[in-house]
């Protein structure tokens, strides 16, 4: 049984159960109301007859009492009436004497009316209401009426039968409308689910460009929007994977190819006695091995950062000295691109950090700034705040779009527009991820401000002194 059928059946079942419960409640309420109304009517009739009986006794008009009794006996529920004066002499002749079983309890139907209920030999339930009427504290007359509770109940059942018939018509009409509504509801719920399921199959089959594009503002609409974002993210990750494979292949193949080719040349040089050439070739082999080792170390650093396995040993570090080492390291490369590296750091400024980790973070940021700066840029500087030190590396490169400012700190992520403007090796997208991990491992944070076409400022915020 599919979900649409289940929703339809459960909705119809709940609707039918609700209508049945409401009908039962209304039926019971109507029954109680009719019974109360019948009892109220009997008391009203009893009160009117008692008043007529009193008046007839006072004026000695037996005919008035008889007429009142006959009017009351026209009701099919009245079995007998009685009216007598204060001495007990009857004013109304009893046409059908009714014998009340002995020991029939007397209860109070109202403040002055006594009530007796019993079942006669025909199985009919009878109720006798009696009242004594007094004038000036002296008993003037007494009146009694015997009602058939069985007839009253039959009248109530007849009324309830009509009510049940009308409610039954309402029930079936509402149920039919409910079935139609439940079908529409089930279709409205399962339709988007089927589209989402189709989207999951498309993504599972590798069609990452599939989008659901469900125009709804409820939970299913949000689920579809989240699915589209997931598919977009998977497409980006797939592209990142392709870029990473290409970059890793380049980073690994180029040094290995150089090492292999120059190893052959070294062997030929040694065999031919060209020792000087062999030395130059060994230098190239060593440089490529260093490049290869640096890339492998980057991968290991990423693994350590993700596993929270970095060993951090913070001490008080003089920032100016450390920044000068980084600047000297990149002086030659900056000169090749005619870029001026400027330092703007107080000589006595210190920061609480691991010197090796901070050196690596500044190295990554400076290398990144040089990569994306076409002309004159890359200005490391510091700003001291309350309890913290902000170390910034600014460049005059193309800048980073707002949509890319968070994602570029992820592994293998690069701003595509900025990356396409770089000539030569593009990098693997690990530098900023490693830098962010190194800084956060030391209790700091990374910040970025950028403006398209005017450059970016990467900042490292670290504590100025050890935590207390």
């Amino acid at each position: 049984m599919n979900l649409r059928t289940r929703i339809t059946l459960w909705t119809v079942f709940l609707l039918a159960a609700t209508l049945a419960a409401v009908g039962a409640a209304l039926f019971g309420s109507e029954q109680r109301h009719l019974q109360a109304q019948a009892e109220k009517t009997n008391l009203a009739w009893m009160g009117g007859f008692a008043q007529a009986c009193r008046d007839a006794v006072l004026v000695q008009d037996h005919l008035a009492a008889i007429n009142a009794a006959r009017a009351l006996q026209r009701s099919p529920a009245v079995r007998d009436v009685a009216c007598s004066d204060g001495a007990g002499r009857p004013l109304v002749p009893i046409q059908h004497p009714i014998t009340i079983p002995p020991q029939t309890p007397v209860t109070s139907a109202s403040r002055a009316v006594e009530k007796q209920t019993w079942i006669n030999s025909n199985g009919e339930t009878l109720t006798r209401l009696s009242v004594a009427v007094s004038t000036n504290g002296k008993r003037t007359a007494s009146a009694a009426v015997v009602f058939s509770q069985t007839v009253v109940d039959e009248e109530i059942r007849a009324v309830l039968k009509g009510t049940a018939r009308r409610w039954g018509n309402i029930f079936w009409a509402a149920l039919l409308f409910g079935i139609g509504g439940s079908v529409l509801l089930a279709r409205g719920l399962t339709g988007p689910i089927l589209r989402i399921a189709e989207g999951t199959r498309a993504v599972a089959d590798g069609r990452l460009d599939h989008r659901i594009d469900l125009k709804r503002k409820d939970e299913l609409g949000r689920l579809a929007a989240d699915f589209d974002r997931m598919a977009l993210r998977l497409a980006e990750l797939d592209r990142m994977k392709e870029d990473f494979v290409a970059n890793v292949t380049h980073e690994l193949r180029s040094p290995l190819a150089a090492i292999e080719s120059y190893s052959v040349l070294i062997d030929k040089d040694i065999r031919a006695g060209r020792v000087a050439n062999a030395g130059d070739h060994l230098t190239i082999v060593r440089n490529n091995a260093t490049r290869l080792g640096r890339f492998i170390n980057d991968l290991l650093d990423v693994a350590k950062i993700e596993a929270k396995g970095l060993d951090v040993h913070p001490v008080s570090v003089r920032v100016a000295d450390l920044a000068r080492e980084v600047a000297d390291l990149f002086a030659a490369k900056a000169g090749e691109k005619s870029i001026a590296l400027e330092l703007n750091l107080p000589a006595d400024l210190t920061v609480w950090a691991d010197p090796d980790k901070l050196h690596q973070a500044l190295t990554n940021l400076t290398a990144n700034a040089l990569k994306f700066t076409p002309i004159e840029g890359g200005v490391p500087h510091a700003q001291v705040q309350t309890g913290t030190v902000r170390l910034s590396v600014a460049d005059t490169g193309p800048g980073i779009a707002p949509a890319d400012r968070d994602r570029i700190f992820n592994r293998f992520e690069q701003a595509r527009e900025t990356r396409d403007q770089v000539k030569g090796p593009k990098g693997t997208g690990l530098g900023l991820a490693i830098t962010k991990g190194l800084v956060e491992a030391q209790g700091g944070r990374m910040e970025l401000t950028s403006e398209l076409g005017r450059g970016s400022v990467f900042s490292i915020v670290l504590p100025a002194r050890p935590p207390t």
Side-chain angles (χ1 to χ4, degrees), residues 45 48-50 52-53 56 62-75 78-83 91-95 143-145:
W45 286 355
F49 180 68
C53 180
H62 291 204
L63 184 59
I66 293 173
N67 290 335
R70 288 176 177 175
L72 197 60
Q73 287 175 333
R74 291 192 186 99
S75 172
V78 176
R79 287 290 179 263
D80 201 1
V81 294
C83 175
L91 273 70
V92 177
I94 300 177
Q95 299 178 356
V145 180

Side-chain angles (χ1 to χ4, degrees), residues 395 397-402 405 448-458:
D395 63 63
I400 300 172
R405 291 176 189 173
L448 167 63
T449 57
S450 182
E451 184 177 353
L452 288 176
R454 305 195 62 177
S456 305
V457 179
F458 289 87

Side-chain angles (χ1 to χ4, degrees), residues 281-414:
H281 294 161
L282 280 173
T283 301
I284 296 174
V285 170
R286 183 175 61 251
N287 292 338
N288 281 278
T290 302
R291 175 184 171 188
L292 187 60
R294 188 183 303 117
F295 175 69
I296 294 174
N297 288 334
D298 285 345
L299 294 177
L300 294 176
D301 287 339
V302 169
K304 288 181 180 179
I305 290 171
E306 290 187 346
K308 310 294 183 183
L310 280 179
D311 293 328
V312 179
H313 304 285
V315 295
S316 183
V317 180
R318 291 175 63 88
V319 179
D321 297 339
L322 192 65
R324 174 55 58 188
E325 292 181 9
V326 175
D328 292 341
L329 180 64
F330 289 97
K333 186 173 183 179
E336 293 177 358
K337 298 182 66 175
S338 299
I339 296 175
L341 288 177
E342 300 178 3
L343 296 178
N344 182 15
L345 297 166
D348 58 347
L349 178 64
T350 60
V351 66
W352 186 254
D354 186 312
D356 293 334
K357 303 297 187 295
L358 181 57
H359 186 281
Q360 184 178 357
L362 288 175
T363 299
N364 290 345
L365 291 181
T366 305
N368 202 60
L370 288 174
K371 181 190 300 183
F372 294 104
T373 301
I375 55 173
E376 24 171 276
V379 185
H381 62 280
Q383 179 182 0
V384 182
Q385 298 175 333
T386 303
T388 62
V389 173
R390 181 188 302 273
L391 303 174
S392 301
V393 177
D395 63 63
T396 56
I400 300 172
D404 294 331
R405 291 176 189 173
D406 290 330
R407 55 188 290 271
I408 61 172
F409 289 100
N410 298 331
R411 294 177 306 153
F412 313 123
E413 290 271 16
Q414 292 179 320

Side-chain angles (χ1 to χ4, degrees), residues 15 123 126 161 166 296 345:
L15 178 61
L126 300 177
K161 185 176 181 180
R166 290 190 298 272
I296 294 174
L345 297 166

Side-chain angles (χ1 to χ4, degrees), residues 254-296:
S254 297
L256 288 174
I259 291 173
E260 181 181 6
S261 59
Y262 279 98
S263 297
V264 174
L265 291 177
I266 291 172
D267 181 66
K268 291 181 178 179
D269 290 337
I270 292 176
R271 293 179 183 277
R274 296 188 294 270
V275 180
N277 292 342
D280 294 336
H281 294 161
L282 280 173
T283 301
I284 296 174
V285 170
R286 183 175 61 251
N287 292 338
N288 281 278
T290 302
R291 175 184 171 188
L292 187 60
R294 188 183 303 117
F295 175 69
I296 294 174

